[in-house]
Amino acid sequence: MAAGLALLAASPAVAEDGLGWQDGLPRLSAFGGGFTMRPSLRLDADAGSFFGQDEPEGFRSGVNLRRARLGLRGALGEAVEYRFTWDFGGSSPNDYSQVYEAQLAWKALDRMTVRAGAFQLRHLPEYAGSSFETLFLERAAISNIAASVASGDTRTALGLEAHGERWVASAYGTGGVLSTRNDGRQRGLVGRAAWLAFDAPVGALQLGMNGAHQFEPGTSPGRNSIGLDDYPELRVDSRVFLDTGTIPADSASAWGPEAAGRAGPLYVEALYQRVTVDALSGGRRDFSGWYVQAALPLLGPPREREADSGSWGLGTVPDFNPAAGGFGALELAGRYSEADLRDGETRGGRQRIWSVGLNWFPAAWLRLSAQYQNGRIGLDGPDRDFQAIGLRAAFEM
């Protein structure tokens, strides 16, 4: 397959107007190159096995077509880019086929972009870059909980993204989640700023702050209400025990610091979030969570900072070619994460998970991952202990 992709990539570049090939995919160009269109493909197939559960009715093993995205992307002139993507997979094992993104991006200046539509906001470290390159199969629970306040995937928004060589900043006004029914009334504000405080051959350190505020709740999970929940960082079962339930509320907010960087080849990332819900009865509810995760390259280069997003990606992945000594990129990852959704009348549980994983990228477009989890969810009733093994095969072009 790699040879076929290489042959397509080596095909002659498309003329100003017409159909040709670029990076292994067809590309249409018209109006003297003023309009371009090409497909985008993404496939994540997951399998997970839960064990080590003493309490009955626990998590179930299974499989999930986590992402199956087919879309179109291109440019209108030199300054406007567009994307439309349909997802035949789903974040929930019981939820499939929906619009994932529909966005326009106008590059107003060399380092400034105005983005509008429904898209993934650059709000948190694990959301600033591509999910194809996250250290684990799923983002840490507290990232998803904080993002659900007014950010995350498929969020309708209008925003500004800017960056320099050592800094990034973003700000958005947001609405509901495009893939959530009856969520159009929701309104929020989201922002992030990060600065590369230290950069030297021995390592680098980036520090930042981020925040989200929902000042008008939508109608999901109920009218004028807010609900916080997440899966056990593996999505092959629809059961959720980390869950506040529905909280009638006026507003909610999430904010906290972030840090990321390298010490030699070792990449380390950490995040803390304080989540506050202004409930209509019983006073304010305060929740929190944090994680620290790291990745050590065993084969291939270490992670590199991407200046336009302030995220840390894989950089150039050497293709799998044993005859030439190329085996792709292989990294060992570890993470501890915690999310505490207990305060006052709200007893949503406290989830703590240790994870270790291996990520192998035989090529830049192919990922094979395996991870082990050891977790505990503290509830008012018996705690739920569990262990799990997760596998993923992913493809992106």
Side-chain angles (χ1 to χ4, degrees):
M1 185 174 182
L5 290 172
L7 180 60
L8 290 175
S11 301
V14 66
E16 277 197 351
D17 288 344
L19 182 65
W21 295 92
Q22 180 180 3
D23 299 328
L25 292 172
R27 177 180 182 271
L28 177 66
S29 180
F31 303 110
F35 170 82
T36 62
M37 177 185 291
R38 56 180 297 192
S40 60
L41 304 171
R42 173 73 182 273
L43 176 66
D44 289 11
D46 290 359
S49 178
F50 285 94
F51 58 97
Q53 302 182 87
D54 296 329
E55 293 296 319
E57 302 300 321
F59 296 112
R60 296 165 294 198
S61 303
V63 296
N64 185 24
L65 187 61
R66 180 65 175 88
R67 297 176 179 89
R69 296 174 184 165
L70 176 63
L72 295 172
R73 59 182 177 178
L76 304 172
E78 296 182 355
V80 177
E81 296 179 351
Y82 67 90
R83 283 176 177 261
F84 178 83
T85 306
W86 193 278
D87 195 346
F88 297 92
S91 58
S92 167
N94 294 333
D95 186 17
Y96 296 97
S97 190
Q98 59 200 8
V99 176
Y100 172 72
E101 69 176 340
Q103 62 160 300
L104 288 173
W106 173 44
K107 295 186 177 180
L109 298 173
D110 183 42
R111 297 184 176 182
M112 184 179 297
T113 300
V114 177
R115 199 176 301 272
F119 52 93
Q120 176 181 304
L121 276 63
R122 294 178 176 179
H123 163 218
L124 297 163
E126 290 189 297
Y127 279 91
S130 170
S131 59
F132 189 75
E133 297 184 355
T134 54
L135 271 62
F136 289 89
L137 271 62
E138 298 296 337
R139 302 175 178 99
I142 190 58
S143 288
N144 293 328
I145 291 169
S148 71
V149 170
S151 180
D153 284 333
T154 74
R155 178 73 67 172
T156 57
L158 171 64
L160 178 66
E161 301 165 355
H163 72 279
E165 291 295 332
R166 301 178 67 97
W167 61 271
V168 294
S170 59
Y172 309 90
T174 69
V177 176
L178 189 65
S179 58
T180 300
R181 290 176 294 177
N182 306 317
D183 195 38
R185 292 179 63 250
Q186 189 177 124
R187 298 291 182 270
L189 297 172
V190 175
R192 176 185 183 232
W195 172 55
L196 187 62
F198 175 77
D199 187 17
V202 296
L205 175 64
Q206 177 178 280
L207 301 174
M209 286 289 296
N210 56 75
H213 180 66
Q214 182 184 134
F215 56 84
E216 184 174 338
T219 56
S220 178
R223 181 171 292 277
N224 297 323
S225 67
I226 292 168
L228 304 173
D229 63 78
D230 198 42
Y231 298 89
E233 298 177 357
L234 183 62
R235 301 194 179 194
V236 295
D237 181 19
S238 59
R239 298 186 183 189
V240 173
F241 294 101
L242 183 70
D243 188 357
T244 63
T246 300
I247 306 174
D250 281 327
S251 63
S253 61
W255 63 273
E258 62 179 74
R262 277 208 342 248
L266 179 68
Y267 171 70
V268 181
E269 176 183 302
L271 174 79
Y272 172 82
Q273 290 288 288
R274 189 76 172 177
V275 183
T276 300
V277 176
D278 292 323
L280 293 178
S281 63
R284 191 178 74 178
R285 316 291 169 83
D286 290 317
F287 311 111
S288 65
W290 62 280
Y291 71 80
V292 59
Q293 59 186 6
L296 180 66
L298 305 179
L299 293 173
R303 291 190 170 241
E304 300 176 359
R305 180 178 179 271
E306 297 178 2
D308 65 333
S309 64
S311 62
W312 297 72
L314 290 168
T316 302
V317 176
D319 286 337
F320 181 75
N321 186 356
F327 295 90
L330 177 68
E331 65 179 4
L332 175 67
R335 177 168 73 194
Y336 174 78
S337 71
E338 182 172 315
D340 193 344
L341 300 183
R342 305 171 302 172
D343 185 45
E345 299 176 8
T346 303
R347 312 303 296 172
R350 180 189 182 193
Q351 179 174 282
R352 293 167 287 177
I353 301 178
W354 291 93
S355 302
V356 62
L358 277 174
N359 301 313
W360 181 34
F361 296 84
W365 48 268
L366 179 63
R367 170 178 178 167
L368 302 173
S369 295
Q371 71 179 42
Y372 164 79
Q373 293 178 310
N374 191 311
R376 166 173 288 189
I377 305 175
L379 303 168
D380 284 348
D383 292 349
R384 289 199 170 271
D385 296 331
F386 64 90
Q387 299 179 66
I389 292 175
L391 302 174
R392 170 173 292 172
F395 171 94
E396 181 179 60
M397 290 194 72

